[in-house]
Amino acid sequence: MTLNHDDHIQHLRHTVKVAKRAMSMGRHPFGAILVGPDNQVIAEQGNIDTLNHAESTLCRTAYSNYPIDYLQKCTLYTSFEPCAMCSGSCYWAGIGTIVYGMSEKRLLELTGNNDKNPTMSLPCRDVFSAGQRQVQVIGPFPELEQEIVKDHLNFW
């Protein structure tokens, strides 16, 4: 099944809800979901802490529960571009497509030099290009910026 722009918007909005739930538990407001080849959400994860990001935690869970040939047909949606650690987790888990709402560069503009989020200036496309298998990357989605950034404005 090929996902279209409206599907991406719908799923990215879901990540914002997951991020909001993480924030309500005192965690950083980041969220990720995994969508199967049938366009159904099969897993979701909010941020846990500085080392256990939503994306990397979701990838570990997915890798433990699904075969890699299935994960290659899945799409991971995330409110912000995956950092280097999370990009590596997506790559090693075998996730086939990554869709993100806002760039890591934009996140750095929001968080500044906050030691709770030491953002790296390393685009996920650069991480994936160093690998031996292709990972499709789609994003950012500027039309969602206000929705995504809302919970971050007073958080950092």
Side-chain angles (χ1 to χ4, degrees), residues 1-146:
M1 171 179 240
T2 303
L3 300 175
N4 62 40
H5 186 80
D6 290 340
D7 293 323
H8 295 322
I9 296 295
Q10 174 189 348
H11 290 311
L12 286 169
R13 284 188 168 131
H14 188 151
T15 69
V16 173
K17 291 176 186 173
V18 174
K20 187 176 211 57
R21 189 170 58 239
M23 189 176 75
S24 75
M25 294 186 285
R27 300 173 179 169
H28 299 173
F30 299 102
I33 64 170
L34 188 63
V35 174
D38 60 355
N39 198 24
Q40 297 300 308
V41 176
I42 59 173
E44 61 181 53
Q45 179 67 55
N47 208 66
I48 296 173
D49 57 32
T50 301
L51 186 59
N52 295 289
H53 293 182
E55 302 91 342
S56 60
T57 304
L58 183 70
C59 286
R60 286 191 301 275
T61 301
Y63 185 78
S64 297
N65 288 284
Y66 297 100
I68 198 162
D69 61 324
Y70 178 77
L71 292 173
Q72 289 172 345
K73 299 172 193 165
C74 291
T75 302
L76 185 139
Y77 287 85
T78 181
S79 47
F80 279 90
E81 179 178 8
C83 70
M85 174 181 69
C86 292
S87 296
S89 295
C90 292
Y91 177 82
W92 289 109
I95 307 294
T97 302
I98 308 300
V99 179
Y100 66 88
M102 290 180 60
S103 71
E104 182 85 351
K105 181 179 179 182
R106 182 67 178 103
L107 177 61
L108 178 59
E109 292 170 7
L110 288 169
T111 63
N113 191 19
N114 188 308
D115 59 352
K116 292 183 180 179
N117 191 53
T119 303
M120 298 176 78
S121 294
L122 182 59
C124 69
R125 286 176 173 90
D126 291 351
V127 174
F128 295 132
S129 71
Q132 295 180 7
R133 70 171 186 81
Q134 183 180 2
V135 177
Q136 181 183 15
V137 178
I138 302 168
F141 285 75
E143 64 268 40
L144 291 177
E145 181 164 332
Q146 294 306 312

